[in-house]
Amino acid sequence: MSLKPKAVTCQCGHTFTSNRDRSWCEKCANAVYYHEKDKNKYKLSNMYVTGVIVAVITFLTYVFMELIATPLLSL
Ligand SMILES: [Zn+2]
Protein backbone atom coordinates (compact mmCIF):
# COMPACT_ATOMS: atom_id res chain seq x y z
CA MET A 1 0.00 0.00 0.00
CA SER A 2 1.65 3.22 -1.06
CA LEU A 3 0.68 6.69 0.09
CA LYS A 4 1.21 10.11 -1.41
CA PRO A 5 4.87 11.08 -0.86
CA LYS A 6 5.11 13.43 2.08
CA ALA A 7 7.95 15.04 4.00
CA VAL A 8 8.28 13.52 7.45
CA THR A 9 10.63 14.59 10.23
CA CYS A 10 12.40 12.18 12.53
CA GLN A 11 12.99 12.75 16.26
CA CYS A 12 16.63 13.48 15.42
CA GLY A 13 15.60 16.29 13.09
CA HIS A 14 16.31 14.52 9.81
CA THR A 15 13.60 15.26 7.24
CA PHE A 16 12.95 13.02 4.27
CA THR A 17 10.15 11.99 1.92
CA SER A 18 8.07 8.97 2.82
CA ASN A 19 5.22 7.20 1.06
CA ARG A 20 4.74 4.42 3.58
CA ASP A 21 2.89 4.19 6.91
CA ARG A 22 6.15 3.55 8.66
CA SER A 23 9.65 4.03 7.38
CA TRP A 24 13.11 4.15 8.89
CA CYS A 25 15.28 7.21 9.39
CA GLU A 26 18.54 6.96 7.42
CA LYS A 27 20.45 8.90 10.08
CA CYS A 28 19.48 7.20 13.33
CA ALA A 29 17.46 4.15 12.18
CA ASN A 30 14.41 5.10 14.25
CA ALA A 31 10.90 4.38 13.02
CA VAL A 32 9.24 7.44 11.48
CA TYR A 33 5.49 7.44 11.02
CA TYR A 34 3.62 8.99 8.11
CA HIS A 35 0.75 9.93 10.40
CA GLU A 36 1.84 11.27 13.74
CA LYS A 37 -1.04 9.51 15.52
CA ASP A 38 0.08 6.10 14.21
CA LYS A 39 2.83 6.11 16.82
CA ASN A 40 0.32 5.25 19.53
CA LYS A 41 -1.49 2.76 17.32
CA TYR A 42 1.72 0.81 16.70
CA LYS A 43 2.62 0.99 20.36
CA LEU A 44 -0.80 -0.42 21.30
CA SER A 45 -0.62 -3.22 18.74
CA ASN A 46 2.85 -4.13 20.01
CA MET A 47 1.45 -4.38 23.53
CA TYR A 48 -1.43 -6.49 22.22
CA VAL A 49 0.95 -8.89 20.45
CA THR A 50 3.07 -9.16 23.62
CA GLY A 51 -0.07 -9.92 25.63
CA VAL A 52 -1.12 -12.66 23.21
CA ILE A 53 2.35 -14.25 23.32
CA VAL A 54 2.32 -14.22 27.15
CA ALA A 55 -1.16 -15.77 27.15
CA VAL A 56 -0.08 -18.52 24.72
CA ILE A 57 3.02 -19.32 26.81
CA THR A 58 0.91 -19.44 29.99
CA PHE A 59 -1.59 -21.73 28.28
CA LEU A 60 1.14 -24.04 26.96
CA THR A 61 2.71 -24.21 30.42
CA TYR A 62 -0.69 -25.09 31.87
CA VAL A 63 -1.28 -27.82 29.24
CA PHE A 64 2.23 -29.17 29.84
CA MET A 65 1.61 -29.30 33.58
CA GLU A 66 -1.74 -31.03 33.06
CA LEU A 67 -0.33 -33.64 30.67
CA ILE A 68 3.06 -34.29 32.25
CA ALA A 69 2.97 -33.27 35.89
CA THR A 70 -0.53 -34.42 36.89
CA PRO A 71 -0.15 -38.05 35.66
CA LEU A 72 3.20 -38.26 37.45
CA LEU A 73 1.68 -36.99 40.68
CA SER A 74 -1.23 -39.40 40.52
CA LEU A 75 0.97 -42.48 40.13
ZN1 LIG B 1 16.52 10.08 12.79
Side-chain angles (χ1 to χ4, degrees), residues 9-14 16 24-30 32:
T9 306
C10 172
Q11 292 162 344
C12 71
H14 177 58
F16 60 99
W24 308 100
C25 173
E26 300 145 35
K27 303 277 177 191
C28 66
N30 262 327
V32 183

Side-chain angles (χ1 to χ4, degrees), residues 8-9 41-42 53 65:
V8 291
T9 306
K41 200 173 79 185
Y42 278 102
I53 290 169
M65 293 296 280

Side-chain angles (χ1 to χ4, degrees), residues 24-70:
W24 308 100
C25 173
E26 300 145 35
K27 303 277 177 191
C28 66
N30 262 327
V32 183
Y33 298 91
Y34 189 92
H35 304 286
E36 188 63 23
K37 61 179 168 60
D38 279 356
K39 249 183 227 177
N40 294 328
K41 200 173 79 185
Y42 278 102
K43 219 175 268 174
L44 270 181
S45 74
N46 277 347
M47 272 169 61
Y48 177 75
V49 168
T50 308
V52 168
I53 290 169
V54 169
V56 167
I57 290 170
T58 307
F59 177 73
L60 287 177
T61 308
Y62 172 76
V63 169
F64 176 80
M65 293 296 280
E66 281 291 303
L67 292 178
I68 312 293
T70 308

